[in-house]
Amino acid sequence: MANEFEIKKQICEIGKRIYDRGMVAANDGNISVKLSDNEFLCTPTGVSKGFMTPEYICKVDKDGNVLQANGNFKPSSEIKMHMRVYKCRPDVNSVVHAHPTFATAFAIAGIPLTAPIMPEAVIALGCVPIAEYGTPSTMEIPDAVEKYLPYYDAVLLENHGALSYSVDLLSAYHKMESLEFYAELLYKARQLGGPKELSQEQVQRLYEIRRKFGLPGKHPANLCAELGGKCNGGCHGNCGGKTQSGTVSGADVEKIVAEVTKRILSQQ
Ligand code: 13P
């Protein structure tokens, strides 16, 4: 792993990218990186993520308590959301939260990103559900996203923005970029009369490619296989589940979680 100063520089670089790409306005968004089980670097609250230098970056423990911070800098007000991701997903080493225009518009309209409309998005991104609205900076957001974390690598936050996470900082950022690109394409295709979705067979072949690549993270390809065709809208509809115009609601996810748990227990 790169040394701590290098990682702080990388966080500043990604902050600049999300700002320059219009994925955050003013002081919005936050980024974190896991250094060890009890040490995490994160962006400070209330600053533009487009203009940070390494001394802005704070260090916190697994409960979000400050271990090190310069001057008046305090950790992001959304640090609890980041910590919940690390707690629920030991494979994750970086979390990015932003408000990209198209993805956030879908989060505001209440439309999850589950339509199989292009191969790259099906393979790399999977599906992106919407976590129920929570007041920023409170435990409502971590509590709302928690049930989606074991099954997805990105989540929309209702009426708020988007959350992505992955094995490292660049991958977590790329996930945010792919999510926004996908949302923009879906939005534009809808303007042109609606997307022509990939067929079930085409989706299934893309899932096979993903399995062959052995890509890290959680994905509907695994969800579908685990549930034997009863994912109830949590996938791209390749096993008869609902797709884009259907929504992956909290109730749906609870059913998915219950079904997965039942199947895992029955295998023991
Ligand atoms: P922070 O500046 O506290 O990280 O908050 C920004 C934000 O986007 C809250 O949702």
Side-chain angles (χ1 to χ4, degrees):
M1 198 196 234
N3 72 38
E4 216 170 291
F5 186 70
E6 279 306 312
I7 299 170
K8 287 180 179 177
K9 283 205 294 193
Q10 289 165 9
I11 293 174
C12 297
E13 171 64 26
I14 297 299
K16 182 168 161 33
R17 281 174 194 249
I18 58 172
Y19 183 77
D20 288 350
R21 290 191 63 128
M23 292 176 157
V24 289
N27 295 341
D28 295 350
N30 27 73
I31 301 166
S32 68
V33 170
K34 180 176 178 176
L35 297 174
S36 69
D37 285 347
N38 199 34
E39 284 186 314
F40 301 81
L41 295 176
C42 71
T43 51
T45 185
V47 307
S48 171
K49 282 53 184 198
F51 298 91
M52 298 183 302
T53 51
E55 60 276 14
Y56 281 45
I57 307 302
C58 303
K59 196 196 276 190
V60 295
D61 69 12
K62 66 176 171 23
D63 299 315
N65 301 313
V66 180
L67 295 175
Q68 197 266 317
N70 293 321
N72 291 328
F73 294 120
K74 292 189 180 61
S76 166
S77 59
E78 301 288 14
I79 194 67
K80 298 178 208 74
M81 170 174 75
H82 291 239
M83 290 304 142
R84 191 66 64 92
V85 179
Y86 293 119
K87 187 169 173 221
C88 296
R89 289 285 302 271
D91 58 317
V92 164
N93 292 309
S94 182
V95 177
V96 174
H97 166 53
H99 306 160
T101 318
F102 288 93
T104 306
F106 277 88
I108 291 170
I111 304 167
L113 303 174
T114 58
I117 55 164
M118 60 177 306
E120 289 77 6
V122 170
I123 293 177
L125 186 61
C127 289
V128 185
I130 305 179
E132 295 71 15
Y133 180 77
T135 308
S137 85
T138 69
M139 292 306 266
E140 289 171 17
I141 297 188
D143 289 347
V145 297
E146 181 167 325
K147 60 177 173 282
Y148 300 94
L149 299 175
Y151 306 105
Y152 303 94
D153 282 348
V155 180
L156 294 180
L157 309 177
E158 193 173 26
N159 288 83
H160 181 167
L163 181 67
S164 62
Y165 33 93
S166 193
V167 289
D168 57 34
L169 175 58
L170 190 59
S171 310
Y173 164 69
H174 277 158
K175 206 131 268 191
M176 186 63 76
E177 225 181 47
S178 302
L179 187 160
E180 176 61 353
F181 181 59
Y182 170 97
E184 183 171 356
L185 288 177
L186 186 55
Y187 177 88
K188 289 180 175 170
R190 284 177 162 224
Q191 305 298 301
L192 295 170
K196 181 178 159 295
E197 290 188 19
L198 298 173
S199 71
Q200 306 296 312
E201 198 192 333
Q202 288 164 331
V203 170
Q204 199 53 246
R205 286 173 67 190
L206 296 171
Y207 280 14
E208 274 162 31
I209 291 173
R210 179 177 167 105
R211 290 191 201 103
K212 217 176 278 170
F213 283 171
L215 296 180
K218 303 293 177 184
H219 189 273
N222 312 331
L223 186 69
C224 255
E226 278 171 34
L227 293 178
K230 287 194 187 157
C231 64
N232 200 21
C235 68
H236 292 103
N238 69 318
C239 57
K242 288 173 288 178
T243 173
Q244 65 143 5
S245 40
T247 59
V248 185
S249 68
D252 286 338
V253 169
E254 260 150 44
K255 275 191 222 150
I256 293 168
V257 172
E259 184 66 28
V260 171
T261 310
K262 199 171 93 195
R263 279 165 188 262
I264 290 170
L265 290 176
S266 71
Q267 283 161 13
Q268 284 170 351

